[in-house]
Amino acid sequence: MTIEDFLFGLIRTALWNDKMQGVEGVEMDHNQYETLKALAKEQTVYGLMIRGLAKNGIRLGKMDAINLCSIERKLAETNASLNREAVDLTRIARDGNRQLVIVKGQSVAALYPEPDYRVPGDIDAYGSLKDFDALTDAIGKEWGVNIHDTGYKHVDFIHNEVDFEVHRRLSVFCSMKSQRYWDALYAKSFDETDYVMIGGEKVPVLCATLNVLYVFVHLYLHLLVLGIAARQFCDVAVLLHHYKDVIDRDALEKHLRGIDFYDAFCAVGCVLVDKIGLKEDEFPFKIEEWHRKYSERILSDVFKRGNFGHYNRKQKDAGWMHSIETGFISINHCLRYYRLSPREIRMFLPRQIMISVKANLKKE
């Protein structure tokens, strides 16, 4: 068994209580623990690793056990902090009667069997365009934060040491046809929202079908550019499991085909079923045999690049050489996944080149 397979085994135990065979009572030595922890950190799933080790009865040395408990405690504290901030953000929106939903992150963590074991990041929210300026003005005044406007997709700021992104547009496509479909679809998303419990409070989120669609699209677009981690695959699996009885499968297929990502969704589904352990009947579509050919390709990029492609980069600092390296990685990924989303990829390369050149010329 490879270390990657071992990590997936721990993830399946943490998510579905699917225990590994022949490991209970086995003691992991320090080097094995450190190697496993480093891989889980790259994949942003060290919380699930911790839970999987405990549930499988795998023993650690004294110092490693202390280290694990320290990580576990810090995870719980960080999640609690982000939960408070997410709840307070929705309160500001609600007090002003402005439309906002929490997306990704803590809204997905709330659906995990044990939310504190999902490694948190920042807080993402999506605000209605008609309320957006008034909403961000209210946030700035009440929290006293400096809000940076990226101009096209979102604003960002920091409050109580937590990073926030409030989106006016959830995803940006290179295909204008896909962008028009997406913008029209999510402009209506506030007509039917759902709620999850975060920090003991009901918090508004996207409806089940649009939630699954967005979290998947976020995953796939990052896979095309530089890479994505196992955590995002776990998020999609958890959403599909939680909403298995309420997802509108016909609507989801229509939307995926509307942005030309249906085959990409099915290819990712192979990883969800074969590696993450999602039940096949909980995946909304039939996976074709040719989709499965992409599973190992996706996994090789996941483990090579890690969370958002941060690992195995030769060029660490921003600049022309970093952009050139990013370009080569993106071109390679696009060629590898062309059949899964040809419309987007045909427009992806020239657009990314233009963006990169503009960004570097601006710095000079």
Side-chain angles (χ1 to χ4, degrees):
M1 180 186 296
T2 66
I3 187 172
E4 292 84 3
D5 287 335
F6 186 75
L7 180 60
F8 276 127
L10 297 177
I11 288 171
R12 290 193 295 271
T13 300
L15 291 180
W16 326 115
N17 206 30
D18 181 11
K19 294 187 179 180
M20 303 170 69
Q21 299 298 313
V23 298
E24 186 170 0
V26 171
E27 181 168 348
M28 181 178 289
D29 67 33
H30 177 69
N31 289 335
Q32 291 172 326
Y33 171 71
E34 287 294 327
T35 302
L36 178 66
K37 185 175 70 171
L39 179 63
K41 182 180 178 182
E42 288 181 5
Q43 296 303 317
T44 330
V45 291
Y46 49 86
L48 298 179
M49 176 205 77
I50 289 170
R51 204 69 194 109
L53 288 171
K55 284 191 169 187
N56 279 299
I58 298 172
R59 297 185 296 117
L60 300 175
K62 181 178 179 180
M63 296 309 297
D64 292 335
I66 292 172
N67 174 255
L68 185 145
C69 289
S70 174
I71 296 171
E72 192 173 23
R73 184 171 62 252
K74 180 65 176 175
L75 262 179
E77 292 171 354
T78 305
N79 272 303
S81 175
L82 266 71
N83 286 344
R84 288 192 298 270
E85 294 295 305
V87 167
D88 206 28
L89 177 64
T90 60
R91 178 195 56 77
I92 294 174
R94 185 177 63 250
D95 288 350
N97 197 29
R98 294 166 186 127
Q99 294 176 315
L100 174 135
V101 291
I102 301 297
V103 295
K104 299 189 296 168
Q106 299 310 104
S107 69
V108 180
L111 308 181
Y112 273 59
E114 297 175 281
D116 279 349
Y117 289 95
R118 182 190 182 274
V119 178
D122 56 8
I123 291 177
D124 287 89
Y126 175 48
S128 171
L129 272 180
K130 68 181 180 65
D131 297 332
F132 199 83
D133 291 340
L135 173 64
T136 54
D137 285 346
I139 293 168
K141 289 175 183 176
E142 177 150 349
W143 279 354
V145 294
N146 294 319
I147 296 180
H148 170 244
D149 195 336
T150 64
Y152 186 61
K153 188 180 177 185
H154 65 261
V155 300
D156 55 57
F157 54 91
I158 299 172
H159 182 247
N160 288 337
E161 300 182 350
V162 173
D163 292 321
F164 285 80
E165 289 185 357
V166 179
H167 296 253
R168 56 167 64 88
R169 171 174 272 155
L170 279 177
S171 292
V172 177
F173 295 83
C174 297
S175 162
M176 288 300 100
K177 182 177 181 180
S178 297
Q179 191 71 63
R180 286 191 296 270
Y181 186 97
W182 181 268
D183 289 344
L185 177 63
Y186 279 88
K188 299 181 290 185
S189 63
F190 294 100
D191 296 342
E192 183 187 358
T193 55
D194 196 1
Y195 292 87
V196 298
M197 297 298 293
I198 298 179
E201 301 282 343
K202 282 179 65 175
V203 170
V205 298
L206 294 166
C207 73
T209 303
L210 295 187
N211 207 344
V212 168
L213 179 64
Y214 169 56
V215 174
F216 159 72
V217 166
H218 174 261
L219 177 159
Y220 184 66
L221 289 176
H222 275 289
L223 176 64
L224 287 183
V225 180
L226 278 176
I228 202 73
R231 178 184 65 181
Q232 281 71 32
F233 291 84
C234 295
D235 285 353
V236 179
V238 166
L239 282 170
L240 289 172
H241 171 73
H242 182 82
Y243 290 122
K244 58 183 180 293
D245 296 324
V246 294
I247 291 171
D248 186 331
R249 298 187 179 205
D250 291 337
L252 181 58
E253 179 176 355
K254 176 187 174 184
H255 301 328
L256 286 164
R257 294 194 184 279
I259 58 174
D260 192 34
F261 277 14
Y262 176 81
D263 289 318
F265 187 80
C266 291
V268 166
C270 300
V271 177
L272 305 184
V273 172
D274 298 342
K275 296 296 183 178
I276 304 297
L278 179 73
K279 292 180 180 177
E280 194 154 5
D281 62 2
E282 293 180 355
F283 188 75
F285 311 120
K286 177 178 172 55
I287 297 173
E288 305 291 343
E289 194 56 39
W290 74 267
H291 291 134
R292 281 208 148 80
K293 295 179 181 178
Y294 282 87
S295 184
E296 290 305 317
R297 193 174 299 185
I298 291 170
L299 289 170
S300 68
D301 288 330
V302 165
F303 284 109
K304 183 175 183 179
R305 300 295 173 192
N307 194 38
F308 299 123
H310 289 164
Y311 296 89
N312 293 314
R313 294 294 303 262
K314 293 180 181 178
Q315 303 297 327
K316 306 295 184 183
D317 300 322
W320 283 105
M321 294 306 296
H322 187 275
S323 295
I324 290 170
E325 184 186 23
T326 298
F328 276 115
I329 294 170
S330 298
I331 289 170
N332 178 260
H333 285 198
C334 285
L335 293 174
R336 286 160 68 79
Y337 302 118
Y338 181 81
R339 188 181 177 186
L340 299 180
S341 54
R343 183 204 300 167
E344 178 68 10
I345 289 174
R346 277 197 299 270
M347 300 304 299
F348 179 89
L349 297 176
R351 181 184 174 96
Q352 288 302 114
I353 291 170
M354 180 182 68
I355 292 170
S356 180
V357 169
K358 283 185 177 180
N360 282 287
L361 286 174
K362 189 176 181 180
K363 292 174 185 176
E364 291 184 349

